[in-house]
Amino acid sequence: MTDPAAAPRVGVIMGSTSDWETMRHAAEILTRLGVAHEQRVVSAHRTPGRMYDYAQQAAGRGLKVLIAGAGGAAALPGMVASLTALPVLGVPVESHALKGMDSLMSIVQMPGGIPVGTLAIGKAGAINAGLLAAAILALSDPDLAERLAAFRRNQTEQVAEQPV
């Protein structure tokens, strides 16, 4: 469904390759809905120059929404949001020390003026970030709106058909 030559409209970024286990769920939902996207590691702490360039150039490259996953101190979503006017959806990645509560608190406590839409910790948050990014894009893309509506209908039917 996704045209491999299509320019990405969503950037899925994360602080390290270990975050991919969580963030792949956002990418899978976007693929399923036919939304062109890209994945990158752009750590706020280890590669701040790369993160800065990515955030500053994202809109100019045609990206419309950014999904940023981070664990621990979880600076990536907020730092990226401070550098772009694009919507940034933050996914707290589960950490070993505090089970992702540290990540959640870091992402959700942004100062006024630097919005980050914060999702649930882990897989559920990544899935919902993909769905929310698609919903944002669907506001100006009727074909995507129909694919998203079909996804939701199918999800409802799957629940209704489950035996008790």
Side-chain angles (χ1 to χ4, degrees):
M1 184 178 301
T2 301
D3 177 2
R9 299 195 297 167
V10 177
V12 178
I13 59 176
M14 61 215 81
S16 70
T17 57
S18 64
D19 296 339
W20 179 242
E21 182 55 35
T22 297
M23 299 308 293
R24 70 180 177 85
H25 300 288
E28 289 168 1
I29 286 291
L30 293 168
T31 297
R32 186 169 171 187
L33 292 170
V35 176
H37 59 281
E38 64 185 22
Q39 298 94 227
R40 300 277 189 281
V41 173
V42 290
S43 171
H45 297 110
R46 292 181 292 274
T47 63
R50 183 186 308 165
M51 180 212 57
Y52 180 88
D53 291 344
Y54 187 90
Q56 289 280 292
Q57 298 167 7
R61 293 189 309 107
L63 294 176
K64 303 296 183 196
V65 181
L66 301 176
I67 300 173
L76 183 62
M79 291 299 297
V80 168
S82 76
L83 295 166
T84 183
L86 293 176
V88 176
L89 307 176
V91 177
V93 173
E94 187 173 337
S95 59
H96 296 290
L98 298 173
K99 301 293 185 199
M101 287 301 294
D102 49 344
S103 310
L104 174 64
M105 291 299 142
S106 180
I107 297 171
V108 81
Q109 293 295 328
M110 292 305 302
I114 309 295
V116 174
T118 308
L119 287 296
I121 297 168
K123 178 181 176 181
I127 290 168
N128 286 340
L131 290 169
L132 187 54
I136 292 167
L137 295 172
L139 292 171
S140 60
D141 182 338
D143 292 335
L144 177 55
E146 180 48 43
R147 292 193 305 272
L148 184 58
F151 174 90
R152 305 266 320 242
R153 283 191 302 271
N154 182 56
Q155 182 175 254
T156 299
E157 291 166 5
Q158 294 296 322
V159 172
E161 294 174 8
Q162 291 181 356
V164 179

